[in-house]
Amino acid sequence: MESAAAQAPTDRPAGTDAAGTDGPRARNRARIERRLREVGRRHLAEYGAAALSLRAVARDMDIAPSALYRYVAGRDDLLTVLIVDAYTDLADAIDAAVSTRRTARTRFLALTDALRQWALAHPSEYALIYGSPVPGYRAPAESTNPAGERPLLALAAIVAGTESVPEVPGTHARAQSAAADALTALADDAALPPGTAPAVLARTLVVWNLLLGAVSSELFEQLGPITEQPATVYAATADLAAALLFG
């Protein structure tokens, strides 16, 4: 059975029937899909992704488990829906944050703040997309990649047009050049801004991993309670990341 996302119509507005009208069946389907996502996110927060159960979700929705199979094929399908929703919500937050900024550096700093604020507001969703893999689940690339690429592509768009990155004292040119060479094929990916230099892509990935590491460390308390001013520490990380990109 196809996933909820796969079953959603793509050639007419959501909530309409085959004739393009806002019929009762279409409204009921949209209502159940919204409720499925709401309860799914709540269970994700309360029990974790590994313990997500379609039967438990159905029970909280007051419908028979068999009825949910009209919308999702099983637990893995529901996880996929939640993953796509999480990536989309994060990317939308980043896009909104950077849209009012004019320079590359200020757009970048807006992105770093949006990433952290979204993670703090949605810790279970952040853990789902950037935390440990869910045992027994393999995300279908054709469903999750388009949404999953959006946050990183937002960063790539900010550095688009940059021909080189600042030299960092203490780094070895051979190691940096080798990393760029290893990403030559990826730099030609059609999803990236045209003309992305491999060295810029390599530095962008370093910065992205730096940001995710900082957010994950704070969110999951990986280092314990090291400070009462985590926002200040993160701001310094973002400033360092900006220097790695722009000097």
Side-chain angles (χ1 to χ4, degrees), residues 6 14 19 34 41 44-45 69 78 89 92 103 107-108 111 113 123-125 138 143 164 187 194 225 227 230:
R34 286 194 301 271
R41 284 193 294 268
L44 182 67
Y69 287 103
L78 178 56
D89 194 42
D92 287 348
T103 69
R107 286 166 63 84
F108 171 75
L111 178 149
D113 185 60
S124 56
E125 286 94 335
R138 186 176 181 85
S143 298
S164 62
T227 179

Side-chain angles (χ1 to χ4, degrees), residues 122-146:
H122 306 87
S124 56
E125 286 94 335
Y126 179 89
L128 180 63
I129 58 178
Y130 292 126
S132 300
V134 181
Y137 171 76
R138 186 176 181 85
E142 67 279 5
S143 298
T144 58
N145 279 7

Side-chain angles (χ1 to χ4, degrees), residues 158-177:
I158 291 173
V159 300
T162 302
E163 297 181 357
S164 62
V165 290
E167 293 186 11
V168 179
T171 60
H172 295 280
R174 181 177 298 178
Q176 300 303 314
S177 177

Side-chain angles (χ1 to χ4, degrees), residues 26-75:
R27 290 196 300 271
N28 185 61
R29 182 179 185 86
R31 179 185 62 80
I32 292 177
E33 288 178 344
R34 286 194 301 271
R35 180 63 175 155
L36 174 61
R37 283 170 160 83
E38 291 170 0
V39 176
R41 284 193 294 268
R42 178 160 56 81
H43 279 229
L44 182 67
E46 293 179 358
Y47 309 116
L52 192 66
S53 164
L54 205 61
R55 183 174 295 276
V57 169
R59 182 171 58 249
D60 276 10
M61 292 177 64
D62 290 325
I63 64 176
S66 58
L68 279 187
Y69 287 103
R70 301 174 186 173
Y71 306 92
V72 288
R75 182 210 68 157

